[in-house]
Amino acid sequence: MIFKGLESIVVELNSLNFEFQILALSSLIILSIGLLRVSTKFGIPSLLIFLTIGMLAGSDGILKIWFNDADLTRKVGSIALAFILFSGGLETDWVKVKPILGKGISLGTLGVLLTCLFVAVFAIFVMGFDPIIGFLLGAIVSSTDAAAVFNVLRTSNIGMRKGLTSLLELESGSNDPLAVLLTTSVLGFVGSTSPSWDTLAWTIFQQFSLGIILGLLLGYWIYRGMNRIKLDYEGLYPVLLSASVLFVYAATDLIGGNPFLAVYIAGIIIGNRSFVHKRSNVRFMDGIAWLMQIVMFLTLGLLVFPSKIPSVAALGIAFSVFLTVIARPAAVFLALTGFNVDWREKLLVSWVGLRGAAPIILATFPFAKQLPESEMIFHIVFFTVLTSLLLQGSTIPFAVRILGLEAALEQRASYPFEFENKDKSDTQLLEYIVPYGSASVGKFVYELDFPENSLITLIYRGDSHLVPTGKTKMEDGDVLLVLTPEGAEGKIREILSRMGEKKEA
């Protein structure tokens, strides 16, 4: 009776005006946010919750909201992914990324190509697909998903050692562009009797080179503009930054570069410099990224017809198992050959190769080409994403522990004030963490020998904030907020990172 009542309401909803549609969308978003605590408590990836709500509200679900616009889904997903990547870039610490940059690039390029190749061979010779469809499936699922990886790693409440978190985030943020390029390139061969491999190679080079160059240039210009412009209303700065994300995305795409790579690099450039109202802007973009994740996964869930999934379940299971157990690990082990990465770390990187929104969005691309197999491709990929989020996403903490790669969770401090960097000032407010086992642990503040004109303004310890004095002792895991002139960052980091015997009281 309840379901029939809901269906009658939704029939009215679908036929009524814009305001009722907004009511439905806002209700789904509020419900998604409300269930976040449930997902955290039981270790279920929140993105899986969003997908499930979308499916339950969709054409085959309880609410019967009719939605089958694949092209609109692709557009919404692309913009959402741009904001998610930009937000991830804003919070990427270059100091942590620099040591693992080579590994991340190898995973984001060679790893993607190998995954595509392995999956294509399996799809063609084992599953019996046409070569074009086989390579298309390989290209669509070849990259890990930034939204899924960022979300799961930041809500799993577990730390990883040796910069593994930074490596996984760098890989997921940088490998989407190649997957998009491979997918569109394979689709370009549909109906072509003589594919031009030279053209494909040049397109890859153009997309990556322009994406990198424009990301660097536009990111720097946005940073300079944020500091130089004098806005009378503080609330306009987040608006300016949001519009800048869209500008980077659209300008790069129109010029012929890869827009996803450009926005991610622009985010890194901006996030690793001090600019006006930085902390509030980063918080705002984090909220936008959450909104984009929810809207994107709800939209993808609405697009799916769950009744059609059982017909591809057997193919989906075989496809998912091969991708997770063979293709992904093989690609990771080969891509990381020659780097100082032990087998346990390679296994963990393999297991955290989550598939999420990006593959589903790419699976909507064949609809534009009107491929007869496009619906089957979409539902196989969707089935693969569901199993990835459910099995891999929910077992990451267990995998970290069983492989012995657990480390103290790095706390994210929230501060009771914000430092506004004035134009032409070389002073910046930076965050440092006192590592476990640091020689600084047990020392008084006055004994740290920080550079001249550097001042520890606040210490974040556990759930409390301390205003330090010269007699305040350092403890393991302290987060220091340091007011310091430009050029002194390396010296402070060097002092805190020295390992040694702790000073006795």
Side-chain angles (χ1 to χ4, degrees), residues 318-329:
F319 189 81
S320 301
V321 169
F322 179 82
L323 173 63
T324 305
V325 179
I326 298 176
R328 167 69 178 176

Side-chain angles (χ1 to χ4, degrees), residues 417 419-420 425-432 450-458 480-486 488 492:
F417 63 87
F419 171 72
E420 182 176 349
S425 171
D426 68 347
T427 303
Q428 50 192 340
L429 192 64
L430 300 177
E431 182 181 292
Y432 298 90
F450 274 10
E452 189 177 357
N453 298 327
S454 295
L455 176 68
I456 301 176
T457 60
L458 196 70
L480 312 181
L481 203 60
V482 183
L483 195 64
T484 182
E486 287 187 13
I492 296 173

Side-chain angles (χ1 to χ4, degrees), residues 430-435 438-441 443-459 468 474 478-485 488-498:
L430 300 177
E431 182 181 292
Y432 298 90
I433 296 176
V434 179
S438 169
S440 300
V441 175
K443 287 186 176 181
F444 295 113
V445 167
Y446 75 84
E447 296 178 300
L448 292 177
D449 194 29
F450 274 10
E452 189 177 357
N453 298 327
S454 295
L455 176 68
I456 301 176
T457 60
L458 196 70
I459 297 177
M474 295 294 100
D478 277 352
V479 180
L480 312 181
L481 203 60
V482 183
L483 195 64
T484 182
E489 312 93 52
K491 179 66 174 176
I492 296 173
R493 191 170 287 108
E494 179 187 343
I495 291 171
L496 294 176
S497 61
R498 290 173 189 158

Side-chain angles (χ1 to χ4, degrees), residues 250-300:
T252 305
D253 193 41
L254 288 172
I255 293 173
N258 193 289
F260 299 108
L261 184 59
V263 294
Y264 182 64
I265 291 176
I268 294 176
I269 295 297
I270 298 168
N272 283 272
R273 293 175 178 269
S274 182
F275 59 92
V276 176
H277 303 301
K278 177 178 179 178
R279 202 167 299 280
S280 61
N281 275 285
V282 170
R283 284 197 299 266
F284 177 84
M285 293 309 301
D286 184 51
I288 290 294
W290 270 106
L291 176 62
M292 292 297 173
Q293 289 182 56
I294 294 172
V295 170
M296 179 169 60
F297 276 81
L298 285 177
T299 305
L300 292 170

Side-chain angles (χ1 to χ4, degrees), residues 66-346:
W66 178 260
F67 182 79
N68 67 341
D69 194 333
D71 187 57
L72 177 61
T73 302
R74 178 184 62 81
K75 292 174 181 176
V76 169
S78 297
I79 296 300
L81 191 57
F83 275 96
I84 292 165
L85 287 169
F86 183 80
S87 177
L90 274 183
E91 299 189 58
T92 297
D93 188 345
W94 176 250
V95 174
K96 296 178 182 177
V97 166
K98 191 174 179 181
I100 50 90
L101 185 60
K103 304 172 192 174
I105 291 175
S106 182
L107 285 172
T109 53
L110 181 59
V112 170
L113 290 170
L114 289 172
T115 303
C116 176
L117 178 62
F118 295 152
V119 171
V121 169
F122 177 78
I124 295 167
F125 293 102
V126 178
M127 301 180 73
F129 285 115
D130 180 82
I132 288 292
I133 302 301
F135 274 99
L136 187 57
L137 281 168
I140 288 172
V141 300
S142 60
S143 71
T144 57
D145 182 67
V149 172
F150 288 170
N151 179 278
V152 171
L153 291 182
R154 295 177 184 184
T155 58
S156 60
N157 293 321
I158 189 166
M160 303 180 196
R161 65 186 176 96
K162 295 184 179 180
L164 284 173
T165 299
S166 297
L167 175 60
L168 290 163
E169 290 187 351
L170 176 62
E171 179 203 8
S172 66
S174 61
N175 63 11
D176 285 334
L178 184 55
V180 174
L181 186 57
L182 288 173
T183 302
T184 54
S185 298
V186 173
L187 282 171
F189 292 159
V190 174
S192 175
T193 55
S194 56
S196 175
W197 297 104
D198 291 342
T199 302
L200 175 60
W202 170 251
T203 303
I204 292 174
F205 173 77
Q206 173 184 300
Q207 288 253 322
F208 269 77
S209 57
L210 287 177
I212 293 170
I213 292 170
L214 289 171
L216 292 170
L217 289 176
L218 294 176
Y220 179 74
W221 288 341
I222 293 168
Y223 148 72
R224 294 288 293 176
M226 292 286 289
N227 279 340
R228 285 185 175 275
I229 194 169
K230 302 292 184 182
L231 297 176
D232 294 329
Y233 302 100
E234 184 180 328
L236 288 176
Y237 285 96
V239 178
L240 176 62
L241 191 60
S242 300
S244 299
V245 176
L246 295 174
F247 180 85
V248 173
Y249 176 87
T252 305
D253 193 41
L254 288 172
I255 293 173
N258 193 289
F260 299 108
L261 184 59
V263 294
Y264 182 64
I265 291 176
I268 294 176
I269 295 297
I270 298 168
N272 283 272
R273 293 175 178 269
S274 182
F275 59 92
V276 176
H277 303 301
K278 177 178 179 178
R279 202 167 299 280
S280 61
N281 275 285
V282 170
R283 284 197 299 266
F284 177 84
M285 293 309 301
D286 184 51
I288 290 294
W290 270 106
L291 176 62
M292 292 297 173
Q293 289 182 56
I294 294 172
V295 170
M296 179 169 60
F297 276 81
L298 285 177
T299 305
L300 292 170
L302 286 171
L303 186 65
V304 172
F305 287 79
S307 61
K308 296 180 181 179
I309 292 180
S311 63
V312 299
L315 290 175
I317 291 172
F319 189 81
S320 301
V321 169
F322 179 82
L323 173 63
T324 305
V325 179
I326 298 176
R328 167 69 178 176
V332 168
F333 273 74
L334 288 172
L336 293 179
T337 299
F339 293 99
N340 184 25
V341 183
D342 67 38
W343 65 271
R344 292 179 303 158
E345 294 170 343
K346 291 178 181 177

